[in-house]
């Protein structure tokens, strides 16, 4: 909607630890902006958190609320992994991901989405694949009013993608007004780890999520079949559990988050003065997949894009400098550090 966080940071005040000529630690206070310490400012906007110093204050660019306010949409669809052609079964999913890809490619810079695809395998052992259920919960914001043509275009398009009739539509005067509607426990903070204490990170149990930025071209040709390859891995692990999986039952059926909230959407401004990867700047989708092994991720998720998201990625990422930034940008970051 308004670019990425790094696009809207105007200035920061940070504290860095250095040493005197006698080797004693000393704290340096720095102002970082396009005019002051510009190289450090470039590095801080994309070079990773907790790396460059302790931030004590920030100046963030504000944006006027669009005419018509902020429109919020929520819809959901669910089904099973039934292998036949029954409604909302496995073959329905195959066609749905193609429709989802086409819908994604028409989005413009007014849309910011947060869909989640969740798989429930609890009843597989007693009911087989038809007892494995999925749910796709789709939430997004549109920067503008509900009477705008693009709002109706995207809404009706997504209803066709998910084949739903029931949609929750709301409109807010500001993001703050939306936040006030959230229950206090919507985002509970708790200490959690996707791997148990007895399962250290490894190529078989990578922890966190395998992430990739999907380009416009990859969205056209690769995303839908690759998603089904990943779901095929899930089905194979149900039928023959994988003893190396971090899942207690040996399954590899984790959730998927699919964010259309990056700057590859049509009409999005794409500044070139930050240190983020090219994939993050030009991608139309951030895909986070849980429970894949390194080999499985390499053959599927990683194969459709060269870059991963720094803040949401595998604990075991062998070529991490390339996937986070690319080697040229990494060398520049390292020199500044």
């Amino acid at each position: 909607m308004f670019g990425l966080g790094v696009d809207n940071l105007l200035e920061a005040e940070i504290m860095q630890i250095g040493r005197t000529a006698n080797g004693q630690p000393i704290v340096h206070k720095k102002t970082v902006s396009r005019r002051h310490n510009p190289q450090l400012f470039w590095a801080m906007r994309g070079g990773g958190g907790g790396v460059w110093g302790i931030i004590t204050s920030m100046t963030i660019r504000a944006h006027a609320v669009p005419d018509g306010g902020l429109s919020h949409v929520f819809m959901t669809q669910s089904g099973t992994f039934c292998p036949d052609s029954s409604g909302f079964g496995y073959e329905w999913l195959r066609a749905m991901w193609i429709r989802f890809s086409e819908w994604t490619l028409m989005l413009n810079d007014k849309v910011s989405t947060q869909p989640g695809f969740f798989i429930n395998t609890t009843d597989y052992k007693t009911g087989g694949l038809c007892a494995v259920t999925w749910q796709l919960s789709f939430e997004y914001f549109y920067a503008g009013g509900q009477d705008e043509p693009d709002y109706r275009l995207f809404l009706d398009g997504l209803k066709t993608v998910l084949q739903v009739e029931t949609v929750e539509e709301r409109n807010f005067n500001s993001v703050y007004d939306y936040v006030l509607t959230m229950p206090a426990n919507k985002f509970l903070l708790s200490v959690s780890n996707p791997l148990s204490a007895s399962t250290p990170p490894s190529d078989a149990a990578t922890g966190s999520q395998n992430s990739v930025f999907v380009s416009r071209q990859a969205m056209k040709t690769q995303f839908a079949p690759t998603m089904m390859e990943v779901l095929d891995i899930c089905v194979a692990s149900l039928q023959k559990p994988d003893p190396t999986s971090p899942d207690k039952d040996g399954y590899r059926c984790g959730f998927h988050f699919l964010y259309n909230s990056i700057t590859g959407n049509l009409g999005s401004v794409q500044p070139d003065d930050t240190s983020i990867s090219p994939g993050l700047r030009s991608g139309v989708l951030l895909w986070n997949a849980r429970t894949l092994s390194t080999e499985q991720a390499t053959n599927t998720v990683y194969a459709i894009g060269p870059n991963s998201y720094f803040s949401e990625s595998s604990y075991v990422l062998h070529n991490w400098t390339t996937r986070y930034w690319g080697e040229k940008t990494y060398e520049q970051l390292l020199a500044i550090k």
Side-chain angles (χ1 to χ4, degrees), residues 83-100:
D84 56 28
S85 58
S86 58
F88 307 109
Y90 205 68
E91 292 306 309
W92 184 90
L93 277 175
R94 192 182 305 278
M96 187 278 293
W97 291 123
I98 295 173
R99 297 194 298 271
F100 171 77

Side-chain angles (χ1 to χ4, degrees), residues 32-140:
V32 184
S33 67
R34 287 181 173 82
R35 292 186 302 163
H36 303 98
N37 299 295
Q39 286 188 315
L40 182 56
F41 186 60
W42 171 84
M44 285 178 61
R45 292 176 299 136
V51 176
W52 308 102
I54 300 171
I55 298 176
T56 57
S57 69
M58 292 187 293
T59 302
I60 305 295
R61 178 185 289 111
H63 297 270
V65 176
D67 292 340
L70 297 172
S71 298
H72 177 268
V73 174
F74 177 81
M75 63 182 80
T76 185
Q77 187 56 277
S78 59
T80 73
F81 270 32
C82 272
D84 56 28
S85 58
S86 58
F88 307 109
Y90 205 68
E91 292 306 309
W92 184 90
L93 277 175
R94 192 182 305 278
M96 187 278 293
W97 291 123
I98 295 173
R99 297 194 298 271
F100 171 77
S101 299
E102 294 169 347
W103 181 81
T104 294
L105 291 169
M106 74 179 198
L107 298 179
N108 63 21
D109 60 344
K110 287 194 168 190
V111 180
S112 178
T113 78
Q114 185 178 323
F117 182 77
F118 306 96
I119 303 169
N120 187 339
T121 61
T122 303
D123 296 326
Y124 171 72
K125 292 179 181 178
T126 57
L129 289 175
C130 289
V132 176
T133 60
W134 59 264
Q135 178 171 305
L136 181 55
S137 297
F138 217 112
E139 179 179 26
Y140 73 88

